[in-house]
Amino acid sequence: MFLASQKVYVVNSPALVSQINRRQKVIDSNPPFLAVVHGKLFGFRDHDMAELMRTTTESGTLRRDSKVLEHTLLERGMAPLNEIFTRVMSGVADRLGTMAREGSITISLEAWLREIFTLSTADGVIGSQNPFTCDPNLLDTFWRFENGIKGLTMSLFPSLRAAGPSRARQRLVQAFTEFFQDDPTANGEICDFLRQVAGVARRYNRDVEYLARYFFAIFCAFLINTVPVTFWTIGHIVENPELLARIRAELAEVVGPMAEAEAGEPRHSFDVTAIRERCPLLMSTFNEVLRYVGASTSTLIVHEDVYIDEQYLLTKGALVQISATAIHSDPDVWGPNAADFDPERFLKPSKVHPSANRTFGGGSTLCPGRHLAADEILVFTAMFLHTFDVEFTAETPRLPRRDDTDMLSITKPTEDLMLRLSRRRATEKAS
Ligand code: HEM
């Protein structure tokens, strides 16, 4: 189809998607991704954009070296991934450990997840003296920015149409710049992942503002999709009492008591490998959430005329779009119940093409944080369900609908969900 005079190919077939993924040099997602994410969303300055866009076949580039390192350090089993996971989840555990001690409480799930994940991630990856501890108002500022992603990336005049989010971004970049004014790698608490990716930026002579925007961008990546996926995972499980009981029974087999803690209170350990291997229904529910709310749209540019599947000619200069929503809701791919949420879908043997799972993107902009995100969401959900009895409340008696208008990687809920929490008997004293 044509958008104005721009030719756009829309690809909805997983088999063709996988062929496109294999032609990354010719059908390239990098330039559109950099223009939208680094340029429009994070407002990198022109000379930084020029350095990021630089391509060469001979040596490395800032962009290529940063990406390779991000993917390497966040690969499953790598020490930097394990370090972030352990630090973030111990922050989460400490925060859950203090809740509902004096009786039941009501939370607004989305707002609560935003707070607990933002603060635990900031502590975990940047250290205890991070910008969010120094300025508690920054939490609201961060989610105000997140609320404006569509306005910042889609509107023609973002400083007018998305003035609030644009101001929020400025404040966050300022806070990150002040924080990282001194050599960030000299900060003993900063995680090894950030320390190493900062090294690449320094090799390419980037200054503190580049680092501040880059770290701010990475910080967003840690949170903006993990929070809504956790929201939907918990929401779908709690909405369905039978599913909740079956998942709790799976978890009871893998959640073990740890050695007595100093104060003599029992503590529990949540082993993500055991959850992956021995909680098939939780895993299936999680994968179904990823399918059901995954809505990323990848845009790629065709650098030269190329045939895919030996029959479709894609012409130089055209764009290719791959929409997760279209593929994830296609009955030809997922069967006649593609529109339904089926927590058991991934329990059954399936012939679905692997490229039909688009929640983490694909090809050259495949999400490097997908393993970390999955581990965090699974263990968070396990801790939450193991620690609390959870009920829907009269204010929000049903799970909200998906807001299909936002065009983000993960569809948000149309409204927040109020939940009543009380500590479960077995964990009243545990954390
Ligand atoms: C459920 C959680 C997550 C989802 C659904 C998700 C989804 C995505 C998607 C769809 C893209 C590709 C965007 C595009 O091609 O336009 C992406 C890229 C990226 N994600 Fe994630 N993500 C998640 C969590 C994370 C986490 C925890 C990190 C932590 C570091 C992360 C880091 C990144 C980075 C750095 C990129 C950019 C890749 C590049 O430069 O090419 N993501 N993510």
Side-chain angles (χ1 to χ4, degrees):
M1 63 189 207
F2 280 90
L3 288 179
S5 59
Q6 176 65 56
K7 189 185 262 185
V8 182
Y9 301 101
V10 178
V11 179
N12 289 335
S13 147
L16 293 182
V17 169
S18 85
Q19 297 210 16
I20 286 173
N21 285 346
R22 277 187 247 125
R23 313 296 300 267
Q24 287 174 23
K25 284 203 177 122
V26 183
I27 311 169
D28 183 1
S29 55
N30 244 323
F33 180 81
L34 284 171
V36 172
V37 175
H38 293 66
K40 291 187 173 181
L41 184 56
F42 294 111
F44 277 82
R45 294 159 304 170
D46 290 349
H47 58 278
D48 286 330
M49 286 304 289
E51 186 64 33
L52 285 162
M53 291 279 194
R54 199 162 61 82
T55 52
T56 162
T57 47
E58 281 135 38
S59 55
T61 61
L62 171 64
R63 169 74 175 146
R64 197 191 303 157
D65 292 0
S66 305
K67 273 178 58 163
V68 168
L69 194 60
E70 287 163 8
H71 277 269
T72 308
L73 300 179
L74 295 176
E75 195 44 71
R76 199 173 281 303
M78 291 296 286
L81 178 149
N82 293 341
E83 179 193 32
I84 295 172
F85 173 77
T86 308
R87 283 165 55 162
V88 173
M89 294 323 286
S90 67
V92 165
D94 288 347
R95 289 178 167 92
L96 290 186
T98 60
M99 289 178 60
R101 288 276 181 203
E102 311 297 325
S104 56
I105 57 168
T106 301
I107 58 163
S108 302
L109 183 61
E110 186 183 43
W112 177 73
L113 289 173
R114 286 176 169 189
E115 179 174 336
I116 196 163
F117 267 107
T118 308
L119 300 183
S120 304
T121 302
D123 282 351
V125 299
I126 307 176
S128 56
Q129 293 308 307
N130 62 73
F132 293 85
T133 352
C134 302
D135 176 1
N137 292 327
L138 223 50
L139 179 68
D140 272 354
T141 312
F142 179 82
W143 289 99
R144 224 174 321 121
F145 161 77
E146 187 272 351
N147 228 6
I149 290 179
K150 185 177 167 191
L152 287 167
T153 53
M154 303 272 177
S155 62
L156 283 178
F157 304 104
S159 51
L160 295 177
R161 292 281 170 84
S166 189
R167 273 197 304 277
R169 177 178 69 194
Q170 211 170 334
R171 220 174 125 212
L172 286 151
V173 170
Q174 180 64 26
F176 273 70
T177 308
E178 280 162 19
F179 186 79
F180 290 117
Q181 202 73 54
D182 302 325
D183 178 4
T185 53
N187 168 350
E189 286 188 65
I190 205 163
C191 71
D192 193 37
F193 172 75
L194 288 189
R195 198 186 303 277
Q196 292 207 42
V197 293
V200 177
R202 207 173 304 110
R203 260 203 340 267
Y204 285 88
N205 298 320
R206 294 300 98 193
D207 64 5
V208 70
E209 184 174 337
Y210 174 87
L211 262 190
R213 282 189 197 268
Y214 179 51
F215 280 11
F216 168 48
I218 297 259
F219 191 73
C220 287
F222 273 113
L223 292 166
I224 57 176
N225 296 314
T226 300
V227 166
V229 173
T230 310
F231 174 95
W232 290 115
T233 306
I234 289 175
H236 277 289
I237 295 173
V238 175
E239 183 193 37
N240 178 339
E242 194 218 323
L243 181 65
L244 173 61
R246 288 171 62 198
I247 287 179
R248 279 217 171 109
E250 283 185 347
L251 287 172
E253 296 296 316
V254 297
V255 177
M258 277 171 47
E260 289 289 292
E262 278 167 30
E265 288 201 344
R267 292 175 76 88
H268 294 115
S269 75
F270 295 83
D271 173 357
V272 72
T273 311
I275 292 176
R276 285 187 173 284
E277 289 171 0
R278 291 162 50 202
C279 299
L281 185 57
L282 173 58
M283 292 308 298
S284 173
T285 306
F286 169 64
N287 285 317
E288 177 67 344
V289 167
L290 293 178
R291 183 192 74 88
Y292 198 66
V293 297
S296 73
T297 301
S298 304
T299 303
L300 306 90
I301 184 154
V302 182
H303 289 311
E304 54 191 65
D305 288 4
V306 58
Y307 273 97
I308 54 168
D309 207 23
E310 294 174 8
Q311 53 176 322
Y312 300 106
L313 171 66
L314 307 185
T315 53
K316 180 176 174 176
L319 296 179
V320 171
Q321 287 211 318
I322 304 170
S323 150
T325 309
I327 297 178
H328 290 184
S329 58
D330 186 348
D332 289 342
V333 177
W334 297 96
N337 73 342
D340 303 337
F341 183 86
D342 174 6
E344 298 193 21
R345 185 183 303 276
F346 288 86
L347 284 180
K348 304 158 202 153
S350 144
K351 292 203 174 80
V352 173
H353 195 290
S355 293
N357 296 294
R358 294 288 309 171
T359 305
F360 292 106
S364 77
T365 49
L366 173 69
C367 173
R370 61 200 185 285
H371 306 300
L372 175 66
D375 288 358
E376 286 188 356
I377 296 163
L378 288 166
V379 169
F380 187 97
T381 304
M383 282 179 175
F384 183 81
L385 297 179
H386 191 75
T387 307
F388 302 113
D389 276 322
V390 189
E391 288 168 31
F392 277 36
T393 56
E395 290 96 327
T396 52
R398 273 177 297 281
L399 197 57
R401 284 178 297 108
R402 290 169 290 175
D403 180 353
D404 298 324
T405 61
D406 237 351
M407 307 188 74
L408 300 171
S409 292
I410 296 296
T411 316
K412 285 197 207 168
T414 46
E415 58 179 334
D416 209 341
L417 178 63
M418 311 277 280
L419 292 179
R420 188 108 194 114
L421 310 185
S422 39
R423 291 188 89 78
R424 296 176 76 205
R425 280 211 160 278
T427 56
E428 256 166 17
K429 289 193 172 160
S431 54

